């Protein structure tokens, strides 16, 4: 029992130090052996310390629990693989991911939207979810940030909106394949109705677009058709789109959404590690050090699920847009093409889930992608004008002065 408690605690400690490392890079390591925090330097990235904790979790956690939300051996293995990916240690990540994929007993849910509905939390695809709850007598059992990130039309603050760039990325060609362009231009920004009276872009799009993002003219669950600018807090600040992945249905309002305080707090868990993550991370490892054939098969597994998923429809049963998605018909011809396809698939599958910035950093493409984005997006959101991403500086945030002060 002591080892189980220690393994869970070390999993959580590793989680928080991992997040600190992504945001701040070198941070001081304070643990149970620290006598004086003021004497602890931040002179290295904490990969060894984090890996030690996660390995203890792998060695001592069970394969499953009766309690939902506790980390398992499989969750710790997925976590370790993610850590290795950030260090480009593909040969170490690959066997962990293969073990989860082949032996973990996880299955992709049949339809993409099931990963973002409250009624299907902790499903067959889930490896580790952060559990949210509301209306249970406590005030902090849901994602507090959701309190300000919920849609403005529901009475929330309307932050954390999908960008024009993200929406544009869901376009596909006539064969249902992503547009693997190196650059994003003003011509790529999709037209939209300011009143939500119609869906102005009629070209083919991946159906995951409208499952995860609310677009003007397209139904948002059972809340009705997105009414355009009137449903958004400040279009000039964040654009016309709404994040749907952390939402609840209108029928669930007051049942699994908060009845006190912030109106958008709800019981929609955050899916930290899913089988879909494992599949695309394994595809990345295959592209880097393994087989292009295997990489193609893994990406197509995700794309075939998208193809089989329920699309967003109007009340009369008509699809809300020109949806089309198909698997790649042939193996990726080379490593460069494979990695581009995997990076795009990762963006499409996990948009608005808080990982893209850090993936761009570890892929080594953050500079050109961000500066291209800032140039184009500033044509719609003026506050981005003349902003520049400096490689080697803007990948991380400085340690807050308040934290420095309490260690002095």
């Amino acid at each position: 029992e002591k080892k189980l408690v220690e393994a869970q605690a070390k999993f959580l400690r590793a989680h928080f130090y991992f997040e600190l490392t992504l945001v701040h890079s070198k941070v001081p390591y304070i643990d149970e052996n620290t006598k004086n925090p003021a004497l602890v330097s931040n002179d290295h990235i904490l990969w060894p310390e984090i890996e030690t904790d996660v390995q203890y979790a792998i060695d001592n956690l069970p394969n499953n629990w009766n309690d939902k939300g506790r980390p398992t051996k499989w969750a710790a293995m997925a976590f370790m693989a993610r850590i290795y990916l950030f260090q480009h240690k593909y040969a170490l990540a690959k066997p962990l991911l293969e073990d989860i994929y082949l032996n973990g007993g996880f299955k992709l849910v049949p339809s993409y939207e099931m990963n973002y509905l409250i009624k299907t939390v902790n499903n067959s695809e889930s490896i580790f979810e952060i559990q949210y709850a509301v209306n249970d007598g406590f005030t902090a059992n849901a994602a507090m940030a959701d309190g300000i990130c919920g849609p403005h039309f529901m009475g929330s603050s309307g932050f954390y909106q999908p960008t024009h760039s993200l929406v544009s990325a869901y376009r596909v060609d006539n064969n249902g394949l992503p547009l693997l362009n190196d650059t994003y231009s003003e011509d790529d920004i999709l037209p939209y109705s300011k009143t939500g009276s119609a869906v102005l872009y009629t070209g083919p799009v991946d159906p995951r677009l409208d499952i995860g993002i609310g677009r003007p003219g397209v139904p948002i669950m059972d809340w009705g058709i997105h009414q355009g600018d009137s449903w958004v807090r400040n279009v000039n600040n964040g654009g016309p789109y709404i994040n749907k992945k952390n939402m609840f249905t209108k029928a669930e309002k007051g049942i699994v959404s908060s009845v006190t305080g912030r109106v958008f707090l709800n019981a929609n868990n955050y899916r930290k590690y899913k089988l879909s993550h494992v599949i695309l991370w394994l595809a990345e490892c295959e592209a880097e050090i393994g087989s292009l054939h295997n990489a193609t098969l893994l990406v197509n597994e995700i794309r075939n699920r998208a193809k089989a998923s329920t699309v967003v429809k109007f009340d009369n049963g008509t699809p809300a847009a020109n949806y089309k998605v198909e698997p790649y018909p042939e193996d990726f011809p080379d490593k460069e093409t494979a990695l581009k396809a995997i990076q795009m698939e990762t963006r499409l599958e996990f948009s608005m889930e808080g990982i893209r910035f850090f993936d761009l950093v570890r892929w080594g493409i953050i500079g050109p992608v961000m500066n291209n984005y800032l140039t184009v997006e500033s044509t719609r959101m003026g506050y981005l004008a003349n902003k520049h991403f400096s490689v080697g500086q803007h990948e991380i945030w400085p340690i807050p002065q308040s934290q420095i002060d309490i260690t002095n």
Side-chain angles (χ1 to χ4, degrees):
E1 184 177 2
K2 179 180 177 181
K3 283 188 175 182
L4 285 176
V5 172
E6 185 174 354
Q8 293 173 81
K10 287 185 173 179
F11 178 95
L12 291 174
R13 179 166 67 184
H15 163 81
F16 289 113
Y17 271 111
F18 179 71
E19 296 296 322
L20 282 170
T21 297
L22 294 188
V23 175
H24 300 294
S25 187
K26 298 176 182 179
V27 298
Y29 189 71
I30 312 297
D31 67 5
E32 66 273 22
N33 300 312
T34 301
K35 302 298 183 183
N36 184 352
L39 300 179
V40 179
S41 63
N42 60 323
D43 58 359
H44 69 285
I45 297 178
L46 299 179
W47 296 133
E49 291 85 349
I50 294 170
E51 288 175 15
T52 297
D53 274 355
V54 178
Q55 188 60 56
Y56 189 91
I58 292 172
D59 293 340
N60 292 283
L61 288 174
N63 287 346
N64 53 69
W65 296 85
N66 290 328
D67 295 337
K68 302 296 184 185
R70 294 187 184 273
T72 64
K73 173 184 178 180
W74 304 111
M77 291 168 63
F79 188 4
M80 186 71 93
R82 182 74 168 154
I83 294 165
Y84 287 148
L85 288 178
F86 273 89
Q87 300 173 79
H88 304 145
K89 295 180 178 179
Y90 303 107
L92 294 178
K94 188 169 180 283
L96 290 170
L97 295 167
E98 287 175 330
D99 197 0
I100 300 168
Y101 179 67
L102 296 173
N103 303 313
F106 304 101
K107 297 188 302 181
L108 293 179
V109 292
S111 193
Y112 180 68
E113 81 280 357
M114 294 174 69
N115 278 324
Y116 308 102
L117 300 175
I118 296 175
K119 66 182 179 181
T120 49
V121 296
N122 301 311
N123 58 47
S124 64
E125 188 169 332
S126 177
I127 298 173
F128 181 67
E129 293 190 14
I130 298 174
Q131 308 292 304
Y132 293 164
V134 291
N135 308 329
D136 59 355
F138 296 90
T139 58
N141 283 8
M144 298 307 292
D146 280 350
I148 61 172
C149 292
H152 183 64
F153 80 88
M154 294 170 57
S156 193
S157 301
F159 294 111
Y160 197 54
Q161 292 175 249
T163 63
H164 291 287
S165 171
L166 174 59
V167 171
S168 173
Y170 283 93
R171 295 172 300 156
V172 297
D173 63 21
N174 290 330
N175 296 315
L177 297 176
L179 306 178
L180 302 180
N181 298 331
D182 289 326
T183 58
Y184 161 61
S185 72
E186 190 173 357
D187 292 337
D188 295 321
I189 295 177
L190 271 59
Y192 74 94
S193 166
K194 291 182 177 295
T195 62
S197 60
V199 183
L200 297 186
Y201 183 75
T202 59
V205 293
D206 189 308
R208 287 173 290 186
L209 166 60
D210 291 328
I211 292 172
I213 295 173
R215 286 195 299 154
V218 177
I220 297 182
M221 298 174 167
D222 57 350
W223 291 95
I225 291 176
H226 183 341
Q227 297 297 301
D229 290 3
S230 65
W231 274 26
V232 176
R233 181 180 62 88
N234 186 341
V235 173
N236 293 327
N237 177 77
Y241 303 113
I242 293 171
N243 176 19
K244 291 172 59 177
K245 285 188 172 180
N246 60 350
M247 283 186 66
F248 51 92
T249 66
K250 189 174 184 180
E252 293 171 328
K253 183 180 180 181
I255 302 171
V256 288
S257 71
S258 180
V259 295
T260 60
R262 288 281 184 175
V263 298
F264 195 70
L265 296 181
N266 64 80
N268 203 349
N269 293 350
Y270 179 68
R271 283 80 161 176
K272 181 71 176 179
Y273 300 121
K274 305 189 290 284
L275 180 61
S276 43
H277 288 116
V278 167
I279 289 172
L280 287 177
W281 294 341
L282 182 55
E284 186 177 342
C285 290
E286 291 285 6
E288 289 282 0
I289 62 170
S291 158
L292 292 177
H293 173 70
N294 288 345
T296 308
L297 292 178
L298 289 161
V299 171
N300 280 346
E301 193 169 345
I302 298 298
R303 295 191 62 76
N304 281 323
R305 194 265 295 276
K307 180 179 179 179
S309 294
T310 302
V311 303
V312 175
K313 297 178 180 179
F314 294 115
D315 288 343
N316 63 7
T318 304
N322 180 9
Y323 299 120
K324 189 175 181 64
V325 59
E326 295 290 342
Y328 289 95
E330 299 176 345
D331 288 351
F332 298 129
D334 50 56
K335 177 180 174 179
E336 181 183 6
T337 303
L339 290 175
K340 276 188 178 181
I342 292 164
Q343 290 165 4
M344 174 61 84
E345 204 65 30
T346 299
R347 185 184 195 188
L348 302 179
E349 183 75 7
F350 307 123
S351 66
M352 306 301 296
E353 296 181 40
I355 66 172
R356 177 163 170 77
F357 179 89
F358 306 108
D359 278 339
L360 291 174
V361 171
R362 73 179 181 85
W363 290 329
I365 58 175
I366 185 72
V369 170
M370 280 297 297
N371 284 316
N372 181 210
Y373 161 81
L374 290 168
T375 298
V376 177
E377 214 79 358
S378 66
T379 64
R380 296 296 188 275
M381 288 174 277
Y383 68 94
L384 294 176
N386 302 315
K387 298 298 187 293
H388 180 78
F389 186 95
S390 296
V391 175
Q393 178 184 4
H394 291 152
E395 291 90 342
I396 59 174
W397 284 2
I399 295 176
Q401 187 63 48
S402 61
Q403 297 301 309
I404 296 174
D405 291 343
I406 63 175
T407 63
N408 292 334

